[in-house]
Amino acid sequence: MMNENIPKHVAIIMDGNGRWAKEKGMKRSEGHKEGGKTLELLSRYAKKRGIKVLSVYAFSTDNFKRSQEEVDFLMDLFINYFKNKLDKVCKDGIKVVFSGRKNLLRKDVIDAMEEISAKTKDNQECILNICLNYGGQEEIVDASLKISDDIKSGLLLEKDLNRDTFYHYLYQDLPPIDLLIRTGKEHRLSNFMLYQAFYAEIYFVDTYFPDFKEQELDEALEYYKSRDRRFGGIKTN
Ligand code: FPP
């Protein structure tokens, strides 16, 4: 029963950290800190439920428009998480990969990202794909540039490019998203994994991300189970 109709790839738009904190009379940064704790337990729980890939939206290319203080706080939080949770993540058998552009990121952030990716690269049980300085349209543009290079140099033949082979040119070659969750009341995609979400079941939930824990993920998985996924075909039974 455990693995019955479990989505292979779950993606989460982790929204509502700021409002969670504000409603409690705390600073926005406290909400991000709490969100970090939630992410830690969710990644472990996702693995336990048999989810193979968990993608999370940690920082969008547009998040640089926030105050310098908030951007710095988030970057420090990321470094702290990558360094201090490293042993735990390794022990849990989780492989950490990143999606996004490296430009505009501080060197200490890039170093911490590279360290955790290198140390977890042989882990097989579950992939945690952290989207950082990420934009979905940017990813498609960047993939197109790589494709153009490969066609010019003869590494790729035009006839071999199709919607499946296109995945090899994205930041990470991951399976399509089966279940896309957005916490925190908004109903939009916000430039998140546009290519991979093409047939995703979408689950919007009012809960702010810091409160989206094991039980809330279970509820999202129940919702997924109840969906009838036909991928554009018709039901045959
Ligand atoms: C959106 O909430 C959240 C973010 C921009 C940051 C997400 C970061 C974390 C969950 C921290 C942990 C992540 C890692 C990778 C360690 P918001 O600030 O937009 O909230 P609001 O809409 O209520 O203002």
Side-chain angles (χ1 to χ4, degrees), residues 64 68 71-83 98 102 104-116 132:
F64 275 112
Q68 192 60 43
V71 171
D72 284 341
F73 181 88
L74 278 168
M75 294 301 154
D76 291 341
L77 182 74
F78 296 151
I79 294 180
N80 200 289
Y81 180 91
F82 303 152
K83 285 189 188 294
F98 291 92
K102 290 278 161 46
L104 303 179
L105 287 177
R106 278 166 22 193
K107 177 157 186 318
D108 53 350
V109 178
I110 295 176
D111 287 347
M113 288 161 69
E114 284 173 354
E115 191 184 352
I116 195 165
L132 210 165

Side-chain angles (χ1 to χ4, degrees), residues 14-20 28 31-37 39 56-60 63 66 70 74 77-78 81-82 98 130 132 184 186 208-209:
M14 309 184 287
D15 197 16
N17 291 347
R19 280 164 289 158
W20 180 91
R28 291 177 57 78
H32 294 315
K33 238 203 267 177
E34 203 58 33
K37 288 186 199 159
L39 175 59
V56 292
Y57 209 177
F59 197 88
S60 76
N63 285 152
R66 294 187 177 202
E70 183 163 348
L74 278 168
L77 182 74
F78 296 151
Y81 180 91
F82 303 152
F98 291 92
I130 301 178
L132 210 165
E186 308 290 356
Y208 295 139
F209 184 69

Side-chain angles (χ1 to χ4, degrees), residues 20-105:
W20 180 91
K22 244 181 121 190
E23 287 181 13
K24 292 188 155 43
M26 294 150 91
K27 291 205 292 193
R28 291 177 57 78
S29 53
E30 290 300 317
H32 294 315
K33 238 203 267 177
E34 203 58 33
K37 288 186 199 159
T38 298
L39 175 59
E40 192 187 337
L41 61 91
L42 280 186
S43 49
R44 206 167 314 134
Y45 188 62
K47 190 195 82 175
K48 194 168 150 203
R49 288 301 315 261
I51 291 162
K52 291 293 171 210
V53 183
L54 179 67
S55 289
V56 292
Y57 209 177
F59 197 88
S60 76
T61 47
D62 293 323
N63 285 152
F64 275 112
K65 293 178 195 152
R66 294 187 177 202
S67 73
Q68 192 60 43
E69 189 193 348
E70 183 163 348
V71 171
D72 284 341
F73 181 88
L74 278 168
M75 294 301 154
D76 291 341
L77 182 74
F78 296 151
I79 294 180
N80 200 289
Y81 180 91
F82 303 152
K83 285 189 188 294
N84 294 332
K85 305 291 173 210
L86 188 58
D87 288 343
K88 225 169 179 183
V89 169
C90 269
K91 225 176 52 218
D92 288 338
I94 297 171
K95 174 175 172 175
V96 179
V97 300
F98 291 92
S99 293
R101 285 184 176 164
K102 290 278 161 46
N103 71 333
L104 303 179
L105 287 177

